[in-house]
């Protein structure tokens, strides 16, 4: 049985209208819309209608988002940039790297396209990009990173949870390998934040990035970048903007004088409507508590993997709870047809490569797992 501590499972389902008629297992793609996130957009529009440009309040909301991200990561607000996407955060990081002495960027094969593409774009600046590819069982081990991280390496990228297979990297071990070689380490945690209890201190990484679209229950256009405090003085992003300046309202165009804290990785006008939504989504996650969500989700994932094994399905996601997150993948012979067949039964999943992706979150319950297992049993011919 999944453990139900905090506000998870049945206790929160009424807040998400889609759950009344749909088995929603696609939080790895987009979190379900709640009443409170919808109301947050209304609040933004009402304020705009009532008061016109509420810039002082809107900038304060951006700072509230910075503080909320910091709490979720157990970081200090001064270590968090408010971004519009992971892309912005990663571009900011690489723009601050001096690639002359250290041209190597090491990336896991499980990086999201934006991370891989930004790394390869640095080849125009002399970078050399090395990929760390999975073992036959799909895992990528710290020692594989150790084999390619050297004294010429500037950055090591190890996404926390693979969006393709659900594998979870041993981020702390990989960060130690990077640091032993004098390199920095980035963990794109989009597929973890909100569903896994993260603590940047114990992960030991230099950068963590993610956003609100998935397990933080809001919509597109809001993200974060954590930058380890001790690094800030020496990291000067060339990708910048006026909201990254030490004094935004001075409107000074005579020099580059970035903020002393991680706000130096902010950029232009904050994405105000998305910030309203993001704050509402994050409040729900904080009420439940990420430790309670992780425990709940892990119980559901175990139930699901047990059922998939009974069906004789091929499950690339590891069975060990320490090596997976909220995403369980199952191999299909025709994943497009399988997603459509499930959709016809109002079971929403997604696909990557030839894997059906089944994502579990605080609002999922045992019955959701049983329902998809029952449907997959009937569509057994589409499982590899
Ligand atoms: C692991 C991961 N990183 C990044 C992204 C998105 O990046 P961006 O915010 O730049 O669109 C996603 C999903 O869309 C993701 O799953």
């Amino acid at each position: 049985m999944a453990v139900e501590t905090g506000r998870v499972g049945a206790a929160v389902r009424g807040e998400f209208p889609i759950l009344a008629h749909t088995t929603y297992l696609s939080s790895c793609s987009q979190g379900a819309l709640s009443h409170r996130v919808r109301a947050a957009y209304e609040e933004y529009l009402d304020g705009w209608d009532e008061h016109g440009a509420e810039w002082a309040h809107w900038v304060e909301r951006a700072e509230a988002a910075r503080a909320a991200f910091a709490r979720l990561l157990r970081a200090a607000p001064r270590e968090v940039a408010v971004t519009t996407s992971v892309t912005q955060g990663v571009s900011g990081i690489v723009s601050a790297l001096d690639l002359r002495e250290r041209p190597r960027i090491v990336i896991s094969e499980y990086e999201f396209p934006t991370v891989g593409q930004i790394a390869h774009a640095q080849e125009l600046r002399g970078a050399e990009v090395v990929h760390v590819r999975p073992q036959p069982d799909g895992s990528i081990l710290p020692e594989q990173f150790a084999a390619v991280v050297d004294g010429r390496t500037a950055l090591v990228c190890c996404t926390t949870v693979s969006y393709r297979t659900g594998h979870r990297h041993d981020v702390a071990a990989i960060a130690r390998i990077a640091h032993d070689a004098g390199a920095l380490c980035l963990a794109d945690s989009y597929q973890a934040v909100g569903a896994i209890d993260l603590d940047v201190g114990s992960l030991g990484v230099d950068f963590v990035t993610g956003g609100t679209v998935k397990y933080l229950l809001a919509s597109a256009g809001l993200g974060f970048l954590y930058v380890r405090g001790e690094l800030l003085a020496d990291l000067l992003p060339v990708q910048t903007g006026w909201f990254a300046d030490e004094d935004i309202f001075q409107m000074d165009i005579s020099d580059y004088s970035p903020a002393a804290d991680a706000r130096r990785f902010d950029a232009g006008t904050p994405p105000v409507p998305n910030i309203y939504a993001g704050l509402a989504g994050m409040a729900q996650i904080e009420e439940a508590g990420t430790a309670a969500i992780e425990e709940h989700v892990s119980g559901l994932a175990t139930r699901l993997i047990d059922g998939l094994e009974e069906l004789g399905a091929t499950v690339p996601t590891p069975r060990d709870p320490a090596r997976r997150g909220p995403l369980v993948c199952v191999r299909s012979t025709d994943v497009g047809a399988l997603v459509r067949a499930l959709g016809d039964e109002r079971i929403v999943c997604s696909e990557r490569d030839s894997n059906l992706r089944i994502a579990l979150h605080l609002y999922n319950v045992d019955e959701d797992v049983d329902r998809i297992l029952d449907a997959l049993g009937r569509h057994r011919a589409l499982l590899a």
Side-chain angles (χ1 to χ4, degrees), residues 28-29 84-88 110-112 114-115 159 161 163 188-191 210-211 213-214 352 357:
C28 58
S29 174
T84 52
S85 63
V86 161
T87 301
Q88 182 195 328
Y110 288 145
E111 296 311 301
F112 197 72
T114 204
V115 176
T159 192
V161 174
Y163 76 101
D188 171 0
S189 301
Y190 217 141
Q191 293 294 336
V213 174
K214 303 166 196 297
R352 286 283 181 238
R357 300 195 307 169

Side-chain angles (χ1 to χ4, degrees), residues 352-371:
R352 286 283 181 238
D353 307 330
S354 50
N355 290 330
L356 179 73
R357 300 195 307 169
I358 306 169
L360 302 156
H361 202 7
L362 84 164
Y363 39 60
N364 292 116
V365 288
D366 286 347
E367 291 70 28
D368 293 334
V369 172
D370 296 346
R371 188 147 186 259

